[in-house]
């Protein structure tokens, strides 16, 4: 097996691609190149490139555990050994070295396949496995474990270690989301470096020394990082596992669908893992322009609502006793059509959603504006201006001066926070956290990048814009820009919630809770004679409705989200709709057909094409 060409895992391929891309970027920027030979192949790489990264460019197979292209190299696992020939003390000599710690130099010769290298790698794996429990059948990492993969290819066929292995109490809970099995840890320090270098909270560290070294939260506290889930993904063994996914299924049973996170406006790329019709885990997916490969804990663990037993699964109609009762789709839609025909267009208002897709919102606007004929259509629960971001998410890490106003970025805009922290750590940027615009104004100039929430006054936005700073309005929801682009605007939310309209149609929004004046919203909804709410749950707004329609989550439909940058990204259906719930666009298309305006919409793609054509 050791002499055969090993099939690398997707993560290894991604790591190599990242390292090679960084080399190309450095070369384009004019960094001096050095020439070396790797396994007989002459290559040139930018000065400062690590030998392991040069091996990636040459297509050589170098095993590793502690190396990660986004973290500093520490040579902790010693697995990436190779024969490196270079000039030392006036003469050339070849030595077995850890390639993640050695920068390339002119004339260097690297060999990764010699018998000496194979023997050394075999010995390292034997050492790592000496205390590692052989509990793969009950380990959640089994089936997608780098240690398993490397042992099969590079490790010894049997163990010479006959002594008692190290033991710790199993499954130590260190946070709401993460479980630690200390005896499995190989102290690669990926998790501790992530906590320090990427998340910036330093909440994991090495404890004790020598053979007693273990990882854990600092000073025995809990692991309260907003980004703890990433340590599960980058752990190369089963030491850190997910409390949410633990024992939910084997990796080969879990199907994965590419999608976009629905928890905030950043638009992180994710992979939705599902089994037996339920979401079982969310993993990060690489997008260098947005989240690199990271997720926040809201995005990784916050989609359990999709599996909730409290989801709406059938339409509800309010009976004569004032109670919402289950009903058929035909009965519910018939009742809505009757109401849409009964009231005059100017008596009808619609509230769209910053959490529904662009396609859902486009059809919502088309139904109300074109078919019904009302102009009372909006989605903004806060009266913020639509200011396009003047720097992209990725460009934030290159800023030299950053001012954030009235936000805790790691909670409100987690991936933006990671870019800002990266700017301070790697580029020595200054970051000023201002509580108010008045506090921020003295620090703003044309060289400043300013990050603003969506809850400020019109005067505050104008005052910031007047400074000439690069203004970035960070909208809160997954499709805050998409609702605008889809045409769910033009009306005034103040008019819609004035209490003067007879009928309200509310899709995927909860104004009774989320409107900037909740009491006003509640009063308006109560005063309306007929209210329709299209939702996943019986929200406070839905509780006041006359007809409630069960919609589907982001994981149960196709469509488009537009993130805070204005970037369009596709979501794909991963699981079947819960119960008898339906995609918003399908509900709206059915209503249009019942109103005498049938259109050939068979998928979200059909609607997107029509919207795109309408944009010219």
């Amino acid at each position: 097996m050791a002499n055969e060409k090993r099939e690398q895992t997707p993560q290894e391929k991604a790591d190599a691609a990242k390292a090679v891309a960084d080399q190309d970027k450095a070369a384009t920027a004019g960094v001096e190149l050095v020439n070396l030979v790797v396994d007989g192949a002459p290559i040139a790489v930018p000065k400062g490139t690590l030998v392991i990264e040069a091996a990636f460019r040459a297509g050589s197979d170098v095993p590793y555990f502690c190396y990660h292209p986004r973290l500093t190299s520490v040579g902790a696992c010693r697995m990436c050994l190779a024969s490196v020939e270079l000039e030392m003390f006036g003469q050339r000599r070849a030595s077995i070295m850890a390639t993640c710690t050695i920068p390339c130099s002119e004339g260097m010769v690297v060999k990764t396949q010699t018998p000496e290298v194979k023997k050394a790698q075999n010995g390292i794996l034997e050492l790592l496995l000496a205390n590692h429990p052989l509990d793969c059948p009950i380990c959640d990492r089994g089936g997608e474990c780098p240690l398993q993969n490397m042992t099969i290819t590079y490790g010894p066929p049997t163990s010479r270690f006959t002594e008692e292995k190290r033991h710790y109490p199993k499954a130590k809970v260190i946070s709401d989301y993460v479980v630690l099995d200390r005896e499995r840890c190989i102290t690669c320090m990926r998790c501790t470096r992530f906590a320090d270098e990427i998340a910036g909270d330093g909440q994991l560290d090495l404890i004790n020394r020598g053979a007693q070294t273990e990882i854990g939260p600092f000073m025995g506290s809990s692991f309260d990082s907003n980004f703890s889930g990433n340590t599960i993904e980058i752990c190369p063994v089963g030491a850190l596992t997910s409390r949410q996914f633990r024992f939910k299924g084997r990796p080969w049973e879990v199907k994965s669908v590419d999608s976009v996170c629905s928890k905030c406006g950043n638009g992180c790329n994710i992979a939705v893992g599902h089994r037996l019709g339920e979401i079982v885990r969310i993993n990060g997916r690489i997008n260098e322009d947005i989240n690199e490969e990271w997720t926040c804990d809201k995005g990784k663990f916050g989609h359990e609502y999709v599996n909730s037993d409290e989801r709406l699964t059938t339409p509800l109609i309010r009976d004569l006793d004032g109670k919402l009762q289950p009903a058929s789709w035909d009965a519910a839609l018939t009742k809505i059509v009757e109401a849409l025909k009964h009231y005059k267009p100017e008596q009808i208002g619609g509230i769209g959603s910053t959490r529904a897709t662009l396609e859902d919102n486009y059809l919502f606007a088309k139904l109300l504006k074109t078919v019904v004929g009302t102009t009372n259509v909006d989605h903004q629960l806060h009266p913020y201006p639509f200011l396009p971001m003047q720097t992209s998410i990725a460009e934030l890490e290159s800023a030299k001066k950053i001012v954030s106003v009235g936000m805790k970025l790691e909670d409100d805009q987690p991936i933006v926070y990671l870019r800002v922290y990266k700017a301070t750590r790697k580029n020595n940027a200054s970051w000023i956290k201002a509580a108010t615009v008045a506090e921020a104004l003295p620090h703003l100039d044309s060289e400043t990048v300013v990050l603003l929430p969506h809850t400020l006054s019109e005067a505050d936005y104008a005052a910031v814009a007047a400074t000439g700073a690069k203004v970035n309005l960070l909208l809160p929801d997954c499709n805050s820009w998409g609702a605008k682009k889809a045409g769910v605007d033009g009306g005034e939310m103040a008019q819609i919630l004035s209490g003067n309209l007879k009928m309200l149609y509310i899709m995927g929004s909860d104004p009774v809770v989320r409107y900037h004046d909740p009491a006003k919203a509640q009063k308006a909804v109560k005063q309306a004679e007929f209210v329709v709410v299209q939702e996943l749950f019986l929200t406070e707004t839905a509780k006041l409705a006359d007809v409630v329609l069960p919609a589907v989550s982001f994981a149960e439909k196709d469509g488009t989200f537009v993130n805070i940058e204005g970037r369009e990204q596709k979501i794909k259906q991963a699981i079947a709709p819960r119960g008898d719930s339906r995609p918003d666009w399908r509900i709206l298309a059915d209503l249009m057909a019942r109103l005498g305006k049938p259109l050939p919409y068979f998928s979200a793609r059909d609607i997107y094409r029509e919207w795109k054509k309408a944009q010219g």
Side-chain angles (χ1 to χ4, degrees):
M1 187 88 183
N3 294 323
E4 296 177 10
K5 181 69 174 178
R6 182 175 69 93
E7 176 63 25
Q8 293 183 318
T9 65
Q11 186 59 56
E12 288 177 291
K13 293 175 182 177
D15 288 349
K18 164 64 176 168
V20 170
D22 286 346
Q23 293 171 38
D24 292 339
K25 185 178 179 180
T28 302
V31 176
E32 177 188 350
L33 299 181
V34 295
N35 298 285
L36 68 158
V37 176
V38 180
D39 290 334
I43 61 170
V45 297
K47 193 171 184 178
T49 299
L50 297 174
V51 172
I52 189 174
E53 295 167 339
F56 292 155
R57 177 171 285 280
S60 296
D61 184 18
V62 178
Y64 59 91
F65 295 120
C66 70
Y67 169 81
H68 193 285
R70 302 182 199 276
L71 303 173
T72 56
S73 290
V74 293
C77 73
R78 317 305 293 178
M79 189 65 211
C80 61
L81 297 175
S83 171
V84 180
E85 180 187 304
L86 71 167
E87 187 169 316
M88 292 188 293
F89 309 111
Q91 57 181 307
R92 296 190 67 81
R93 92 177 259 197
S95 299
I96 303 296
M97 298 184 179
T99 56
C100 74
T101 63
I102 308 297
C104 297
S105 61
E106 187 68 29
M108 180 181 280
V109 178
V110 180
K111 297 177 182 178
T112 68
Q113 302 296 315
T114 68
E116 294 78 15
V117 169
K118 296 299 181 183
K119 182 179 179 181
Q121 291 169 340
N122 188 296
I124 291 296
L125 269 170
E126 189 173 23
L127 178 64
L128 292 177
L129 290 171
N131 266 314
H132 191 88
L134 302 180
D135 61 350
C136 303
I138 62 165
C139 177
D140 260 11
R141 198 72 160 134
E144 55 181 5
C145 174
L147 182 58
Q148 270 186 333
N149 297 338
M150 296 304 179
T151 300
I152 291 170
T153 305
Y154 297 99
T158 58
S159 174
R160 293 179 293 173
F161 189 85
T162 59
E163 290 78 14
E164 184 75 9
K165 287 180 180 281
R166 180 173 54 197
H167 294 289
Y168 291 105
K170 294 288 289 180
K172 181 181 179 181
V173 175
I174 60 173
S175 81
D176 291 340
Y177 305 120
V178 182
V179 172
L180 170 63
D181 281 295
R182 288 173 287 176
E183 73 276 19
R184 294 178 185 158
C185 179
I186 61 172
T187 56
C188 69
M189 297 166 58
R190 275 189 172 192
C191 58
T192 60
R193 282 177 287 153
F194 172 85
D196 180 41
E197 299 170 16
I198 306 296
D201 50 42
Q203 288 202 18
L204 286 181
D205 210 341
L206 295 179
I207 303 168
N208 301 325
R209 302 181 69 180
Q212 282 70 48
T213 301
E214 60 182 84
I215 64 157
F218 186 68
M219 296 295 289
S221 60
S222 61
F223 186 25
D224 294 329
S225 170
N226 286 326
F227 305 94
S228 67
N230 295 285
T231 63
I232 297 168
E233 290 193 51
I234 65 175
C235 179
V237 293
L240 295 169
T241 53
S242 166
R243 292 184 71 186
Q244 194 178 82
F245 178 62
R246 196 172 173 87
F247 305 131
K248 289 285 184 69
R250 286 302 193 179
W252 54 86
E253 300 173 327
V254 176
K255 301 292 188 294
S256 185
V257 175
D258 291 350
S259 192
V260 177
C261 181
S262 69
K263 299 302 289 185
C264 79
N266 295 171
C268 296
N269 286 212
I270 59 173
V272 178
H274 61 95
R275 177 178 180 269
L276 301 177
E278 290 196 343
I279 292 179
V280 292
R281 69 176 178 185
I282 300 289
N283 281 343
R285 193 161 54 86
I286 295 174
N287 187 323
E288 299 294 350
D289 293 326
I290 304 175
N291 57 305
E292 298 182 296
E293 63 185 75
W294 313 122
T295 57
C296 71
D297 282 359
K298 282 193 301 183
K300 187 169 181 64
F301 302 110
H303 291 97
E304 274 291 284
Y305 71 89
V306 175
N307 302 330
S308 174
D309 291 334
E310 296 181 4
R311 286 273 305 276
L312 294 170
T313 57
T314 188
L316 304 174
I317 296 177
R318 194 171 298 280
D319 63 17
L320 296 177
D321 294 327
K323 296 181 179 179
L324 288 170
Q325 301 289 355
S328 68
W329 273 101
D330 181 66
L333 295 175
T334 297
K335 197 167 183 67
I336 295 170
V337 168
E338 289 173 353
L340 289 170
K341 290 180 177 179
H342 173 72
Y343 295 106
K344 296 177 181 179
E346 60 270 20
Q347 294 176 318
I348 300 172
I351 300 175
S353 176
T354 53
R355 291 178 286 182
T357 65
L358 183 148
E359 292 83 356
D360 296 333
N361 280 288
Y362 172 74
L363 227 55
F364 185 74
K366 187 168 186 175
L367 168 68
L368 292 172
K369 289 183 175 181
T370 305
V371 178
V372 175
T374 182
T375 58
N376 299 317
V377 182
D378 205 348
H379 70 276
Q380 281 188 260
L381 300 181
H382 286 267
Y384 51 81
F386 278 95
L387 301 172
M389 286 182 67
Q390 295 185 323
T391 57
S392 68
I393 291 175
E395 287 170 344
L396 290 173
E397 68 182 55
S398 301
K400 293 299 182 183
K401 184 180 178 184
I402 301 168
V403 176
S404 60
V405 180
M407 290 181 289
K408 189 177 181 183
L409 283 182
E410 55 266 45
D411 291 334
D412 301 330
Q413 302 282 340
I415 298 304
V416 169
Y417 162 80
L418 291 186
R419 295 285 187 171
V420 172
Y421 180 71
K422 192 174 181 181
T424 62
R425 181 179 176 86
K426 290 196 170 183
N427 296 326
N428 202 30
S430 64
W431 178 18
I432 298 167
K433 304 173 188 178
T436 64
V437 167
E439 185 181 327
L441 286 176
H443 304 284
L444 303 184
D445 54 41
S446 61
E447 301 300 314
T448 305
V449 173
V450 60
L451 308 174
L452 302 177
H454 69 294
T455 53
L456 301 179
S457 68
E458 186 177 342
D460 281 339
Y461 291 120
V464 172
T467 65
K470 298 179 180 68
V471 179
N472 294 284
L473 177 59
L474 306 182
L475 301 182
D477 294 325
C478 56
N479 202 30
S480 291
W481 268 100
K484 166 74 172 177
K485 287 191 170 188
V488 186
D489 64 352
E492 290 288 338
M493 190 63 77
Q495 166 63 22
I496 296 169
L497 294 177
S498 65
N500 297 321
L501 300 185
K502 301 292 186 181
M503 177 180 177
L504 293 177
Y505 195 145
I506 302 170
M507 179 186 74
S509 185
D510 191 11
V512 168
V513 173
R514 299 189 74 204
Y515 189 55
H516 66 90
D517 187 348
K520 179 180 179 181
Q522 184 179 54
K523 182 179 178 181
V525 174
K526 285 182 175 180
Q527 286 181 343
E529 294 177 3
F530 192 83
V531 177
V532 180
V533 172
Q534 217 162 281
E535 258 293 358
L536 273 68
F537 295 92
L538 196 63
T539 61
E540 293 303 310
T541 303
K543 290 175 183 177
L544 302 176
D546 297 282
V547 177
V548 180
L549 303 177
V552 301
S553 71
F554 83 107
E556 298 157 323
K557 63 182 175 183
D558 297 332
T560 308
F561 285 159
V562 186
N563 79 340
I564 54 175
E565 304 168 299
R567 183 190 302 269
E568 295 177 19
Q569 299 188 102
K570 298 298 181 182
I571 60 171
K572 298 177 183 178
Q573 182 176 350
I575 57 177
R578 181 61 59 100
D580 202 17
S581 58
R582 296 180 180 179
D584 292 286
W585 68 263
R586 183 181 163 195
I587 299 169
L588 298 164
D590 198 343
L591 285 171
M592 292 170 71
R594 289 167 181 258
L595 288 166
K597 299 289 184 179
L599 289 167
Y601 300 131
F602 300 102
S603 68
R605 186 182 305 168
D606 297 329
I607 301 166
Y608 179 82
R609 286 171 178 163
E610 180 178 301
W611 171 80
K612 199 71 174 177
K613 186 176 180 180
Q615 306 310 301

